[in-house]
Amino acid sequence: MRISALVKRIMLQMFRDKRTLALLFLAPLLVLTLMYLIFDSNEEEMTLGVVGGNEMLIETLETQGIQVADFESADSGTVLKKSLDGLLEIEADGAMLTLENDDPAKAKALLAQISQILALHGQGSAEQNTSSPALETDYIYGNEDTEFFDVIGPILVGFFVFFFVFLISGIGLLKERVSGTLERVLATPVKRWEIVAAYLAGFGIFAVIQTTIVVFFAIWILDMVMEGEIWHVIVINLMLALVALSLGILLSTFAGSEFQMVQFIPLVIVPQIFFSGLFPLDGMADWLQNLGRIMPLYYGADALKAVMYRGEGLIDVWEDLLVLGLFALLFIVLNILALKRYRKL
Amino acid sequence: MNHMIRVKGLSKSFGKQRVLKDIELTVAEGQIYGLIGPSGSGKTTLVKMIVGIDSPDSGTVTVMDKRVPDLGLLQDIGYMAQSDALYPELTGKENLAFFASLFNLKGSRLKERIDYVAKIVDLETSLNKKVAAYSGGMKRRLSLAIALVHDPKLLILDEPTVGIDPELRQSVWQELLELMAQGKTIILTTHVMDEAAKCEMIALVRDGGILASGSPEELKAKFGASDLEGVFLAAGRGAE
Ligand SMILES: Nc1ncnc2c1ncn2[C@@H]1O[C@H](COP(=O)(O)OP(=O)(O)OP(=O)(O)O)[C@@H](O)[C@H]1O
Ligand SMILES: [Mg+2]
């Protein structure tokens, strides 16, 4: 009864605050799209150096929209010097493709196109009955597995859900502290846990909507890799949102103003980005690598990558989910205790 | 006469500053009890402890024979904070309804109480306006209405009439006296000596202690002053 009154009020406040609503629902989509555009530049024209290719091959390549530069001889140095996207060397027993791979998405697209063309070409040119000439590939940067947005996409989805839910729930409760309404609410027979529960529910509803929008947008509009099940992704993100929600409310205890709440971003949010897998940590000292294990986003990112990129299911990531659940539980209990500052009961 | 509030040996410090020192206070049932004293003397801190939303370092507060804090007790207390604690995004009515439902009011009783308290503070016509668009006095009146909405036995009002014009102030006081006649107990803080004169009992709070308490007549006699203003000033001189 009291909880539903609190939840109703929180929702009413949110609906009246159009700016915050827009931030919650549109900002993640906007930033995600920007990241997508930066890392995924398929549309660009590609330039390919060719050594020893016949006219027919070059013509086919050009009709596919690839700019071809014919060389007598060339090596990987030529690729860099002439800023080519790749170099195709046709030899008697097969073909060798050297990809610059500065932009993994682009390299992958080029590779796909060329193997297709070579396959057609090979069939067209008669006697080799065992299909196309073998295509060997070499990468100047990275390897064939890198596709940046594929790797970071799932992490980004989790991150934006975490970040925006953290910020908005934290500032929501902070406003109540600063304006004195929290104290006023505690002068009614409401229980401390009821306040925390109402905050989780009230902002939780918005977190569910936001999570669903972000996930569907990422998968349907941005065409992010999605090997696993969509609802698994939503479940993981909801766990992340719950942790963000309870952490945001908790940290608002230690902030005296909205600005001080924003100061938690470099302290609490940014380090999580570093350790969530967006950046390779292999080169770091062990103790530094293990630092990620105290950060909720590390587990969320791990689970999201497993489901979206590697096609695993919730059962395979149960440990991540358990840790996230424990984080949320810890923060919720601390929240109830933190309210003791006002009222002992 | 029954004791409504009994405060014993109450002390509180914020950091090194001792804000309340060994406060002793009893308020009888059905009284209007006024707390007066200079700014920063500890009135707000004291009333918060009586409500139970701040905890003392030592000492006890008992209200209606129950040790504060007590959740059940809060159902019988109407508290009006010194600074208006309202939700500006919501309308006056929504604010009232929200707090009323925290006191478990619902249905027709809720509607009835909202209409009744809105009338007391003369806000009937502005109830559907957002609080962000209220004037200072309107916010003050809404806060008072919220304190009254669940018909509590004990009213704790921290400077209830600040920013309210004389005409309305008079009608608010009329209502307070009316509530007292119904048997409610009211404890309030004020800087307006005319208002203090309307209280049955007054406590003079100074530097975190209660310098003197008694009826306005008793205090005037004690300090040899012709009015409460004189009492206030004499007490200030005495303290120095
Ligand atoms: N949360 C707090 N932290 C630190 N000091 C505080 C806090 N609340 C009050 N104080 C200090 O306690 C003292 C008493 O404050 P209080 O608000 O009780 O005074 P007051 O008598 O209500 O004054 P006024 O008439 O101006 O409302 C002041 O010196 C104030 O600075
Ligand atoms: Mg005060």
Side-chain angles (χ1 to χ4, degrees):
Chain A
M1 175 61 206
R2 295 201 175 95
I3 296 187
S4 65
L6 282 158
V7 170
K8 199 175 133 196
R9 192 216 76 218
I10 291 169
M11 297 191 64
L12 208 54
Q13 275 183 296
M14 280 290 272
F15 281 124
R16 298 271 161 85
D17 189 353
K18 299 283 184 289
R19 266 271 289 273
T20 305
L21 267 190
L23 178 76
L24 187 61
F25 294 143
L26 299 180
L29 304 189
L30 180 73
V31 185
L32 212 52
T33 309
L34 280 176
M35 299 288 266
Y36 169 78
L37 292 176
I38 291 166
F39 290 118
D40 205 291
S41 40
N42 276 335
E43 308 304 317
E44 255 177 84
E45 195 163 70
M46 287 179 280
T47 336
L48 180 70
V50 177
V51 178
N54 57 28
E55 242 161 72
M56 200 168 117
L57 175 69
I58 292 175
E59 209 172 292
T60 327
L61 286 170
E62 278 175 339
T63 50
Q64 290 289 313
I66 299 173
Q67 271 196 5
V68 179
D70 208 354
F71 292 101
E72 285 297 316
S73 73
D75 56 15
S76 55
T78 326
V79 175
L80 295 180
K81 233 178 287 162
K82 305 265 169 174
S83 55
L84 302 174
D85 294 308
L87 175 67
L88 182 65
E89 291 163 280
I90 305 285
E91 285 142 25
D93 53 345
M96 170 80 187
L97 178 64
T98 310
L99 291 162
E100 191 210 19
N101 202 26
D102 183 36
D103 176 350
K106 207 167 167 183
K108 211 164 199 173
L110 186 60
L111 173 62
Q113 261 181 319
I114 287 177
S115 39
Q116 219 173 24
I117 291 167
L118 283 183
L120 287 172
H121 200 68
Q123 272 167 12
S125 67
E127 79 265 22
Q128 278 163 306
N129 53 355
T130 45
S131 79
S132 54
L135 177 65
E136 246 185 279
T137 43
D138 188 20
Y139 293 82
I140 295 182
Y141 302 122
N143 60 48
E144 59 195 312
D145 293 329
T146 358
E147 170 140 27
F148 203 47
F149 198 66
D150 279 357
V151 182
I152 66 164
I155 301 173
L156 285 178
V157 169
F159 170 71
F160 288 126
V161 168
F162 190 89
F163 176 66
F164 286 102
V165 171
F166 169 85
L167 196 63
I168 284 167
S169 64
I171 288 185
L173 190 63
L174 182 79
K175 251 168 53 187
E176 288 229 47
R177 285 179 206 283
V178 175
S179 69
T181 48
L182 181 64
E183 194 174 71
R184 186 64 194 78
V185 166
L186 280 163
T188 73
V190 72
K191 296 181 183 70
R192 280 182 286 134
W193 71 264
E194 287 177 319
I195 297 179
V196 176
Y199 258 81
L200 291 177
F203 281 106
I205 290 166
F206 291 97
V208 169
I209 301 172
Q210 188 224 37
T211 304
T212 314
I213 293 178
V214 170
V215 169
F216 278 101
F217 183 84
I219 293 168
W220 285 351
I221 313 278
L222 298 187
D223 206 19
M224 203 177 272
V225 272
M226 186 57 224
E227 300 293 336
E229 303 254 359
I230 284 197
W231 73 269
H232 289 184
V233 175
I234 292 181
V235 168
I236 297 169
N237 273 309
L238 284 181
M239 284 303 286
L240 257 183
L242 184 66
V243 177
L245 191 53
S246 45
L247 180 63
I249 302 178
L250 181 65
L251 287 185
S252 76
T253 316
F254 306 104
S257 64
E258 266 107 334
F259 183 53
Q260 286 187 358
M261 191 69 208
V262 172
Q263 289 166 7
F264 279 124
I265 294 173
L267 274 175
V268 176
I269 301 292
V270 175
Q272 299 210 56
I273 306 178
F274 294 140
F275 287 92
S276 62
L278 273 188
F279 303 99
L281 300 176
D282 302 339
M284 263 201 263
D286 280 348
W287 69 270
L288 257 179
Q289 285 189 39
N290 284 331
L291 208 57
R293 295 181 182 275
I294 59 164
M295 302 179 182
L297 199 58
Y298 171 89
Y299 298 93
D302 188 57
L304 283 173
K305 234 164 54 180
V307 172
M308 293 178 78
Y309 191 56
R310 297 199 298 270
E312 291 171 24
L314 284 185
I315 299 169
D316 304 299
V317 297
W318 70 271
E319 283 172 328
D320 288 326
L321 291 176
L322 179 71
V323 176
L324 286 179
L326 290 176
F327 267 119
L329 191 69
L330 173 72
F331 295 148
I332 289 169
V333 170
L334 288 177
N335 265 313
I336 298 175
L337 292 178
L339 283 179
K340 267 197 172 177
R341 195 167 98 185
Y342 297 89
R343 197 177 69 191
K344 280 273 156 65
L345 224 66
Chain B
M1 202 161 32
N2 285 326
H3 291 304
M4 189 68 176
I5 300 171
R6 200 195 276 270
V7 176
K8 275 194 178 152
L10 197 73
S11 296
K12 174 78 178 178
S13 306
F14 289 114
K16 283 211 175 82
Q17 188 195 6
R18 284 195 73 192
V19 176
L20 292 180
K21 298 163 197 160
D22 227 5
I23 298 263
E24 303 281 335
L25 181 81
T26 37
V27 178
E29 193 174 343
Q31 271 185 338
I32 296 193
Y33 201 109
L35 296 174
I36 59 174
S39 195
S41 56
K43 302 181 295 298
T44 298
T45 314
L46 176 59
V47 295
K48 276 187 186 172
M49 304 228 171
I50 296 174
V51 180
I53 50 176
D54 204 346
S55 38
D57 297 336
S58 62
T60 58
V61 178
T62 321
V63 176
M64 295 179 228
D65 297 323
K66 284 187 197 129
R67 177 79 184 270
V68 170
D70 182 286
L71 281 185
L73 205 51
L74 286 169
Q75 183 72 36
D76 292 322
I77 297 179
Y79 170 59
M80 176 177 177
Q82 181 169 1
S83 53
D84 299 305
L86 303 164
Y87 298 100
E89 306 91 343
L90 308 189
T91 66
K93 194 179 214 150
E94 286 163 346
N95 269 281
L96 270 169
F98 166 64
F99 283 105
S101 15
L102 291 186
F103 287 104
N104 270 338
L105 293 192
K106 47 193 136 192
S108 58
R109 167 109 178 112
L110 176 91
K111 236 175 110 351
E112 205 178 285
R113 286 301 301 176
I114 290 179
D115 290 344
Y116 175 70
V117 293
K119 198 162 159 214
I120 293 177
V121 297
D122 196 21
L123 276 179
E124 297 142 295
T125 50
S126 329
L127 268 193
N128 290 319
K129 232 163 125 177
K130 279 192 195 161
V131 169
Y134 274 26
S135 73
M138 287 163 85
K139 285 185 200 156
R140 210 68 206 122
R141 283 182 276 150
L142 182 60
S143 297
L144 180 59
I146 289 172
L148 296 173
V149 76
H150 57 296
D151 197 18
K153 288 200 195 92
L154 170 63
L155 278 170
I156 299 178
L157 312 174
D158 202 350
E159 303 197 18
T161 53
V162 169
I164 298 185
D165 68 67
E167 210 181 314
L168 256 167
R169 183 188 298 240
Q170 201 167 37
S171 75
V172 165
W173 264 95
Q174 236 161 29
E175 178 59 28
L176 291 184
L177 294 170
E178 164 74 16
L179 287 168
M180 192 190 77
Q182 290 170 18
K184 316 259 184 225
T185 311
I186 301 168
I187 176 162
L188 58 86
T189 72
T190 182
H191 285 296
V192 182
M193 292 307 133
D194 288 354
E195 290 187 353
K198 290 184 185 145
C199 298
E200 280 175 277
M201 288 284 288
I202 298 173
L204 258 170
V205 184
R206 199 144 198 127
D207 294 328
I210 293 188
L211 196 67
S213 64
S215 69
E217 265 52 50
E218 285 167 1
L219 287 181
K220 278 186 237 171
K222 182 170 178 185
F223 287 90
S226 59
D227 56 12
L228 281 176
E229 198 113 5
V231 171
F232 192 99
L233 295 172
R237 277 193 296 274
E240 272 156 26

